[in-house]
Amino acid sequence: MIDGSIGMACKCSVERRSVIYCNNLRDFCFDRERRKFNRKNLRNVSTIPIFKRSFSRWRPVSGKSCILSMDVREKSRSTLFESSKHKRVPLYVMMPIDSFGIDTSGAPRIRKMKALTISLKALKLAGVHGIAVEVWWGIVERFFPHAYNWSLYEELFKLVSEMGLKLQVALSFHSNVHLSSRVQGVSLPQWIIEIGRDNKDIYYRDQNGFPNADYLTLGVDNLPLFSGRTAVQCYEDFISSFASKFDSLMGTIIEEVCVGLGPSGELRYPAHPFEDGRWQFPGIGAFQCYDKYMMEDLRSVAWQEGKPDWANKGPPNVGDYNSFPTDVPFFEDGDGSFLSDYGHFFLEWYSDRLVRHADDILGVAANLLGKYSAKSQGLRMVAKIGLLYWWYQTLSHPAELTAGYYNTAFRDGYDSLASIFSRHGAALQISCFEMLDNETPQACLCSPEGLLQQIKNASKKRVVELTGRNAHERFDEAGLKQIHSNCYDSQEETNLFFLVTMSRVFVHKRRWKISEEKRLLSYEHNRA
C-alpha cells in the first residue's frame, strides 16, 4: 500500500482522523475496558515461551506468554544477505497514490510530471536509495485479456532511472478505488469487472452477503472463469509479461519485486473494510468466506472430515465488523468458541486456504523471476502480510483470525506463512516499524511491538529475509528511534526500509540530513 494516512499495518484501516493516536478512540474504548475477559486456565496444551524480551502488558493464561509448540522444519531456498550492525539499510520512498491513473479517454498517464520530477531530484539529493512503485493490473491489462499496455511504466521507470534511483515494483492485483475519498483510485481491469457484473461470487462476501470487489476471492484461484483462465493463470501471465517487458532492468534498476497476494497487496482476507463505513478501528472484523466458491470448498472439506453438520455455514456467534471480543462468544473460551473442535476445524480451513493461495502465486512468480536472482546483486522477490495488532493481548486474537491468520495465545499462526515464503525464496515485508505499544489505547489490548517480534522470530526460524515499512507518516524523534531499532534488531536485521509515503515535506532538500553515524535518514523540522 501507498497511502500513508491509513492507520494499520495492512493499510485497510481507518483514515488519519481515526488512527490509534486519536483521543476520541480512548473515550470510545473506556466503557469496554472495564469488562474483563473470562480467562480460564487451559490444560493439556504444550507451550513454549514466545518472546525473550519482556512483554509486560501481555495478559497470560498461566503466568507465561506462550504459543503452541510447532515442530515443522523445511529446507529454505532463501539466501540471507550479509548481516552486520554497520550495514546501511537502504531507504525507499513510496510513490503517492495519485501519481498516475486513467484519464478521461481511458489512457494511462502520469499526473503532475513536473512536480514528480522535482520530488525525485530532492529525494536523490537527500540520500534516498530508491522509489517504490505500484504496477496496477487495472492499468496494464485494463480493457481486454492479454492486452498489456506498459507505456506508463516505461516512462516512469525511465524517469526514476535518470534520477539515479533504484526501483521496488509492487505487482498490484487489487483495487484501491475505496482507499481514499480524496483521490481517484485504480479499479480492477474492466474486463474483470464485466465478469463480476454477471457473477458477483468472484469477489469475497461476508456473512450478510455483502461483497468486497477490491480483490478476487481465492475461491476462484483454480477455476477457469476469466476468458478460459483461472485467477492464478491471470496473475502468472501478468508477471510473465512484466518480466519480459523490463528484462533489461531486472536485478539492476529494479532491485525488488513485491508480488501482490490480496487486498492492499497483502496476504490476508479483506476482513476490515473501512471504505464504506462497515468497519472502524478497533473492531474485530468479519470472516470473508461466504461466496459460493469458498462455501463449496468448505462443504467438501467438512464431508471429507466426516462432519456434514459443519458443511453449510461459517461459525455462529461471531459478532460483526465493529464488535469487541467481550461481546462475541466465538472469541471467548466457552463451548462453541474458537477453542472448540468446530472452531479449530473452521480456522484451520480458513487459514489453510490463504496459505495455499500464497503457495500457488509465489510458486509461479519464483519460476518466472528466479532467473534474475544472479544478476548484479540479485533481484529480491517479496510479499507482504498485514500486522493486525489490536486485541493481540487477548486469548483469541480476533482481528488476526478474521483476516486469516490462525494466531492465538496458544498457536503460532505465522510459522506456516514463513515456511511458504522460505520455500519460494521470498522475503517478507511487514509494517508498523515506527509504532510503540505505549502509544496505543490500552483498552484495545494492542501490541504492535509484540506482534512484530513474533513475526521476526518466525522469519528467523525459517531463514526468511525481512523488509519493513511504517504505518503512519510521522517525523517525531520517538518514531524514528523505533524505526532505527527495528531496522537494526540484534536478532533479525532488516534488509531495507520503505517510508510511506512521498509527501510535500520530501521535496525540500534543506529539511533532510544524512546521519552517517546512525546510518539512518532523519528529518529536520523546519522551524522557520
Side-chain angles (χ1 to χ4, degrees):
M1 269 307 305
I2 284 181
D3 187 359
S5 66
I6 307 305
M8 104 181 175
C10 56
K11 296 299 183 297
C12 67
S13 177
V14 291
E15 295 190 57
R16 186 174 290 126
R17 62 179 177 273
S18 302
V19 298
I20 57 173
Y21 308 113
C22 297
N23 291 330
N24 62 345
L25 180 58
R26 298 178 187 275
D27 296 336
F28 174 66
C29 297
F30 179 75
D31 289 338
R32 308 268 187 173
E33 188 178 11
R34 291 179 295 184
R35 302 181 185 183
K36 301 297 182 181
F37 291 94
N38 182 16
R39 304 178 188 281
K40 300 176 182 178
N41 289 335
L42 299 179
R43 304 182 184 277
N44 301 320
V45 178
S46 176
T47 61
I48 58 176
I50 183 170
F51 303 132
K52 293 182 180 179
R53 296 181 177 182
S54 62
F55 191 15
S56 59
R57 291 192 294 139
W58 168 248
R59 310 301 169 89
V61 174
S62 58
K64 290 186 178 181
S65 303
C66 52
I67 56 175
L68 190 67
S69 177
M70 302 189 71
D71 196 25
V72 180
R73 296 292 187 274
E74 286 187 14
K75 184 177 179 180
S76 171
R77 289 177 49 190
S78 299
T79 301
L80 288 181
F81 285 11
E82 182 182 357
S83 178
S84 168
K85 290 183 179 180
H86 301 293
K87 173 187 168 185
R88 294 191 66 171
V89 175
L91 177 67
Y92 280 74
V93 174
M94 303 187 82
M95 292 281 288
I97 187 175
D98 58 350
S99 296
F100 37 79
I102 305 296
D103 64 19
T104 54
S105 68
R109 68 180 183 89
I110 301 174
R111 302 186 179 109
K112 303 177 182 178
M113 176 64 83
K114 183 177 179 180
L116 177 60
T117 302
I118 294 172
S119 298
L120 293 176
K121 288 180 179 178
L123 290 171
K124 177 60 179 178
L125 290 171
V128 170
H129 181 76
I131 303 298
V133 177
E134 285 178 318
V135 173
W136 294 96
W137 187 24
I139 289 179
V140 176
E141 196 182 0
R142 185 168 183 80
F143 295 110
F144 304 101
H146 295 292
Y148 303 106
N149 181 355
W150 295 102
S151 59
L152 182 151
Y153 293 103
E154 289 179 293
E155 181 181 9
L156 180 60
F157 292 178
K158 180 181 178 182
L159 175 62
V160 172
S161 177
E162 289 174 347
M163 295 298 119
L165 294 162
K166 302 297 185 179
L167 279 164
Q168 190 260 25
V169 173
L171 303 180
S172 302
F173 301 109
H174 62 284
S175 164
N176 72 344
V177 293
H178 296 130
L179 177 64
S180 174
S181 61
R182 302 187 301 273
V183 296
Q184 180 182 0
V186 179
S187 69
L188 293 177
Q190 290 298 313
W191 62 275
I192 291 287
I193 293 174
E194 291 174 6
I195 293 173
R197 290 193 182 104
D198 296 327
N199 182 5
K200 292 183 172 55
D201 283 290
I202 67 172
Y203 304 123
Y204 289 109
R205 288 181 178 270
D206 64 18
Q207 62 184 338
N208 296 315
F210 292 111
N212 186 304
D214 286 344
Y215 190 78
L216 298 176
T217 170
L218 55 81
V220 300
D221 274 359
N222 298 299
L223 298 177
L225 303 177
F226 308 99
S227 299
R229 291 185 293 170
T230 67
V232 171
Q233 288 171 335
C234 290
Y235 307 144
E236 181 178 11
D237 290 344
F238 186 90
I239 298 170
S240 178
S241 177
F242 164 77
S244 176
K245 172 60 67 173
F246 299 107
D247 177 81
S248 63
L249 304 181
M250 303 291 277
T252 54
I253 301 301
I254 299 175
E255 293 187 332
E256 185 168 292
V257 174
C258 183
V259 181
L261 297 176
S264 300
E266 296 174 340
L267 178 63
R268 61 176 175 82
Y269 293 96
H272 306 86
F274 67 92
E275 67 275 359
D276 57 5
R278 273 185 288 170
W279 175 84
Q280 292 183 350
F281 181 90
I284 59 175
F287 292 109
Q288 304 287 317
C289 58
Y290 295 90
D291 60 88
K292 69 178 181 180
Y293 303 111
M294 289 288 285
M295 293 307 294
E296 286 173 359
D297 189 83
L298 176 61
R299 282 194 290 272
S300 175
V301 173
W303 278 94
Q304 291 174 15
E305 293 291 323
K307 298 291 186 179
D309 293 343
W310 296 348
N312 298 312
K313 60 184 182 302
N317 302 318
V318 292
D320 58 29
Y321 288 100
N322 296 309
S323 296
F324 279 29
T326 45
D327 303 327
V328 181
F330 185 76
F331 298 115
E332 293 277 294
D333 57 357
D335 295 337
S337 75
F338 74 102
L339 294 170
S340 66
D341 289 342
Y342 170 76
H344 177 71
F345 161 78
F346 174 80
L347 293 172
E348 281 278 8
W349 168 80
Y350 190 67
S351 62
D352 179 67
R353 292 308 176 264
L354 198 66
V355 172
R356 290 190 185 185
H357 178 70
D359 196 16
D360 288 345
I361 299 176
L362 291 179
V364 299
N367 289 335
L368 292 167
L369 302 176
K371 64 181 180 179
Y372 300 106
S373 61
K375 292 180 65 175
S376 184
Q377 293 182 349
L379 178 79
R380 180 188 285 112
M381 184 175 73
V382 180
K384 298 188 292 185
I385 65 172
L387 207 98
L388 293 93
Y389 53 82
W390 53 103
W391 308 119
Y392 181 73
Q393 298 181 70
T394 67
L395 292 178
S396 59
H397 298 214
E400 295 167 82
L401 295 186
T402 56
Y405 306 137
Y406 190 3
N407 189 56
T408 70
F410 311 103
R411 186 183 190 279
D412 184 359
Y414 297 99
D415 182 78
S416 59
L417 297 180
S419 176
I420 293 298
F421 279 58
S422 178
R423 180 185 304 169
H424 299 295
L428 174 61
Q429 186 181 135
I430 47 181
S431 188
C432 292
F433 266 44
E434 85 289 7
M435 293 186 65
L436 298 161
D437 284 1
N438 61 17
E439 294 178 335
T440 64
Q442 294 184 1
C444 303
L445 300 179
C446 305
S447 183
E449 294 181 72
L451 179 52
L452 186 62
Q453 188 59 53
Q454 182 184 353
I455 296 173
K456 284 184 175 184
N457 290 344
S459 299
K460 183 179 180 181
K461 172 185 174 183
R462 296 295 181 178
V463 198
V464 175
E465 293 181 10
L466 287 178
T467 66
R469 71 186 190 273
N470 58 310
H472 310 288
E473 185 179 280
R474 56 185 290 188
F475 304 101
D476 59 288
E477 184 177 358
L480 287 173
K481 285 183 176 179
Q482 184 70 356
I483 290 172
H484 184 271
S485 175
N486 280 317
C487 285
Y488 291 96
D489 187 295
S490 60
Q491 299 298 318
E492 184 67 43
E493 187 170 291
T494 302
N495 285 291
L496 48 89
F497 179 75
F498 295 91
L499 197 61
V500 184
T501 66
M502 186 189 301
S503 66
R504 284 178 293 179
V505 301
F506 290 101
V507 303
H508 300 293
K509 178 178 179 292
R510 65 181 181 273
R511 294 184 175 183
W512 293 89
K513 67 177 181 180
I514 302 294
S515 173
E516 295 295 341
E517 293 76 22
K518 293 186 176 181
R519 300 291 195 263
L520 177 69
L521 189 66
S522 61
Y523 176 74
E524 237 180 9
H525 291 285
N526 184 355
R527 301 181 182 275

